[in-house]
Amino acid sequence: MESIHGFVFSLFSFLIVLSVLIFFHELGHFLAARRLGVKVLKFSLGFGPRVIGRTVGDTEYLISALPLGGYVKLFGEEPAEGEAAQALSPEDRARSFSHASVWKRIVIVAAGPVFNMLLAYLIFTGALSIGVPMYVPDFDSLMPVVETVGEDSPAKAAGIKPGDRIVSIGDQKISTWVQMTDIVRRNAGKALTVVVERDHQTVPLTLTPALKTVEGEDGKTIEVGQIGIGKSPRGVKIEAANPLEAIYKGGQATYQWTYLTVEGLVRLVQGKLSMDNIGGPILIGQMSGQAASQGFGGLAFLIAILSITLGVMNILPIPVLDGGHLLFFAIEAVIGRPLSIRKREIAQQVGLALLLLLMVLAFYNDIIRLFVKQG
């Protein structure tokens, strides 16, 4: 029964998080379109059949049956060709998204990710203004730099010293602490060739991880390799003395979390971070439930981090995402005309395929975490 209650709580928390993120994202598109004179036909929270709604002016505001996103439907969002385009009245043409100037379209599309960043900034600033400190991970703390070496440990016997940076193990280059520990855990009792960087020089060493019995995340005992080195988790603590200072410090926290998100994404593309780090709705649901169990502050903090992630992901130049549309508009601004509908359709199909592959990977990782690693 407790597991059912936990699932319902996590699901409810997930829907709250998702609704807030999508609402702010779509609110950015909506406000920008209204401000620039483009007609908004629908503003929906959720997809699918309408549950409840009301039309005010030109816009229908509604809540739809599937609470897994939302959308803003703009008049003329799908560009018309030939006779259909000529049939538009001058008034409709003036309020059509596809007939707006390229700069207006750029502003409207970019407003979604910008509002995601704004949401994170408001949460950070609000927390700091009432005396709640924000913690931003120090990216250097993720690096494979040794801070402590245990006495009588394999690392000590191999000659590893505090301050050494693990450069490679065998023929594999090491760029993160997690990558290094993963190799060590899987190679208990095996002699490994390790190269460390010390005083700007590389030093080759031979290291044999000891077999240790430890408790896993699920409470069960497992056998892993360990070498006896340690690293203290570091973070940047951001505090504000008063609400005015919080306005600046909120921006600092938003910038540093955004930088960390972009840096992590770059390392993922470079292959320096494992694809196992990608998570989907199951992971977000679990995180939402855990954050909500810590109270409103924990849930708000998670919303801020996910909002930054959503903003960064949406700005990527992948067709289907906002960044893909911005890429099309940038090309149009340079060559003086939009790409043909056929070319955009092909690009959209490629982008959709990439997005579906990413979703499959995210679901796969979620399932592995949920059923394999825990059971």
Side-chain angles (χ1 to χ4, degrees):
M1 185 64 70
E2 287 186 11
S3 61
I4 295 177
H5 289 162
F7 172 77
V8 172
F9 182 71
S10 294
L11 178 62
F12 180 71
S13 303
F14 169 69
L15 293 178
I16 291 177
V17 170
L18 188 65
S19 297
V20 172
L21 293 176
I22 297 300
F23 174 78
F24 249 80
H25 182 90
E26 297 302 328
L27 181 64
H29 294 314
F30 171 78
L31 293 178
R34 289 285 297 269
R35 182 68 179 85
L36 295 175
V38 172
K39 184 191 295 186
V40 181
L41 300 178
K42 289 184 179 182
F43 187 165
S44 174
L45 191 59
F47 290 102
R50 162 179 164 167
V51 175
I52 187 173
R54 181 179 180 183
T55 299
V56 179
D58 296 323
T59 308
E60 180 184 11
Y61 302 88
L62 62 154
I63 297 176
S64 299
L66 301 176
L68 296 175
Y71 64 93
V72 165
K73 183 174 178 58
L74 305 177
F75 175 69
E77 192 170 353
E78 296 298 329
E81 287 189 313
E83 295 181 2
Q86 297 299 325
L88 289 176
S89 67
E91 181 183 349
D92 284 341
R93 185 180 292 267
R95 301 193 65 189
S96 168
F97 176 77
S98 60
H99 289 86
S101 71
V102 66
W103 303 111
K104 285 185 178 181
R105 281 176 279 148
I106 287 175
V107 171
I108 292 170
V109 171
V114 168
F115 261 59
N116 281 126
M117 298 301 175
L118 176 62
L119 173 60
Y121 170 74
L122 292 175
I123 291 175
F124 289 144
T125 301
L128 290 166
S129 67
I130 60 175
V132 178
M134 291 289 106
Y135 289 89
V136 180
D138 178 4
F139 196 78
D140 289 338
S141 69
L142 302 179
M143 297 298 97
V145 178
V146 179
E147 292 191 1
T148 60
V149 179
E151 294 295 331
D152 300 324
S153 67
K156 182 83 170 181
I160 292 179
K161 298 180 180 180
D164 285 354
R165 182 181 186 279
I166 310 296
V167 175
S168 66
I169 299 178
D171 58 357
Q172 186 168 351
K173 292 184 178 180
I174 303 298
S175 59
T176 68
W177 182 268
V178 172
Q179 183 185 13
M180 179 270 297
T181 56
D182 182 59
I183 294 175
V184 168
R185 289 168 67 90
R186 290 187 284 105
N187 287 277
K190 299 179 182 178
L192 303 175
T193 300
V194 178
V195 176
V196 303
E197 182 182 292
R198 180 186 303 161
D199 298 328
H200 306 292
Q201 294 182 342
T202 56
V203 180
L205 302 169
T206 300
L207 175 65
T208 303
L211 182 64
K212 298 288 185 180
T213 300
V214 299
E215 184 176 305
E217 295 179 358
D218 58 357
K220 298 179 180 178
T221 57
I222 55 175
E223 293 184 334
V224 299
Q226 288 186 353
I227 57 176
I229 59 175
K231 167 176 271 311
S232 301
R234 290 195 297 265
V236 178
K237 185 178 181 181
I238 299 177
E239 296 180 286
N242 53 65
L244 287 178
E245 189 178 12
I247 295 174
Y248 167 74
K249 292 294 185 68
Q252 181 184 355
T254 304
Y255 167 78
Q256 291 187 234
W257 272 108
T258 302
Y259 175 82
L260 183 72
T261 302
V262 173
E263 188 76 22
L265 184 61
V266 170
R267 289 176 176 272
L268 194 67
V269 172
Q270 292 175 335
K272 295 181 178 180
L273 283 181
S274 172
M275 290 293 180
D276 293 345
N277 291 287
I278 296 176
I282 297 176
L283 177 62
I284 296 174
Q286 291 174 327
M287 293 169 61
S288 300
Q290 293 168 1
S293 67
Q294 299 172 8
F296 177 77
L299 191 61
F301 183 74
L302 177 65
I303 290 174
I305 303 307
L306 291 179
S307 191
I308 288 174
T309 303
L310 179 61
V312 170
M313 293 297 293
N314 254 284
I315 212 70
L316 295 177
I318 300 174
V320 179
L321 299 179
D322 290 336
H325 294 294
L326 293 175
L327 177 61
F328 293 151
F329 298 152
I331 293 173
E332 180 181 343
V334 171
I335 67 177
R337 66 180 188 281
L339 293 174
S340 69
I341 292 181
R342 178 57 181 162
K343 290 180 180 179
R344 277 178 282 177
E345 286 177 346
I346 294 173
Q348 296 277 9
Q349 291 168 2
V350 173
L352 181 60
L354 290 173
L355 203 58
L356 288 174
L357 285 174
L358 183 63
M359 291 174 62
V360 169
L361 176 61
F363 272 108
Y364 172 79
N365 286 343
D366 281 356
I367 292 170
I368 291 297
R369 291 189 191 97
L370 186 63
F371 295 107
V372 177
K373 292 186 178 179
Q374 294 185 5

